Amino acid sequence: VTDFNSRIARRGARYDPDTDTWTAMLSTANSPSARLTHTVIWTGNQMVLWGGCDAGYPLASGGRYDPVTDSWIQTSMTDAPLGRCYHTAVWTGDRMLVWGGARFLQGSTGVLGTGGRYDPLSDTWEPMSEAGAPDARARHTAIWSGNSMIVWGGSATPSFYTPLMLNSGGRYDPATDTWEPTSLIDAPAGRVDHTAVWGDMQMVVWGGDGSSFAPLGNGGRYDPLADLWRPVSMNGAPAPRLDHTAVWTGDQMVVWGGRISLRSVLGTGGRYDPVADTWSETSLTD
């Protein structure tokens, strides 16, 4: 949790949607150190947090939080990937896959094309193959398709002011520890700070920043079985934006919020049906 009026804070809360109530995370024992731009996944019974930066210093540490017991266990750092920010993490059902990201350390900056596989049951890390992996990048997206992690987009430089946009990606199979590239044919324009969801057997990419705070209102649908891209309709789509959120409901992608500049934020959204390739507005009431 971040307190922008003071500092990064090591505190959080648990929300129960059935009762519409919040409960504070009281325990800080063994909790990870304060950080920004880390990743979090849900295993089914624990939240696993890893990586991020503190005052620009990349962290290779993390923690597992059990909401039932309100307790933390730190993740092992043995064989963990290099510390990083602006990376991605997905949950496969038994492993957390971490990949990519940026390092900011004592004047040395760069993006990473490496990753790791974390088993929370044994608290162990395994390296991820670099053979055939996509170009190093940060501020990309990653989804889990059911049998592979698909990473796409991002920037080949860590700079926020002169990003080098990428419209490439890769599919990683943890069972064989192998990579295959995603097609560039008909792929959307390169971008950062976009969203990607997995639904209807395809990855849907939308929005993002196309060129140093140039918000985008377009996207694409990627079919990993056929390795092909199709466009996302722009008819009725929400206003262009970056740093928004997107979720999959079971039959639609819902996007909401985001911004169009450093100071201009949005309180609108849209619902996208990838089967019909159509958009509907989200209500502004209440």
Side-chain angles (χ1 to χ4, degrees), residues 161-179:
Y161 301 102
T162 57
L164 178 58
M165 305 301 184
L166 298 169
N167 73 336
S168 59
R171 295 169 287 165
Y172 175 74
D173 183 343
T176 59
D177 191 26
T178 57
W179 286 94

Side-chain angles (χ1 to χ4, degrees), residues 111-151:
V111 292
L112 298 169
T114 59
R117 298 172 286 176
Y118 177 70
D119 181 349
L121 289 180
S122 61
D123 189 29
T124 56
W125 286 93
E126 292 178 307
M128 187 179 292
S129 174
E130 297 179 44
D135 293 334
R137 66 194 64 203
R139 299 165 68 193
H140 53 288
T141 51
I143 61 91
W144 177 248
S145 72
N147 53 36
S148 63
M149 174 180 70
I150 305 176
V151 301

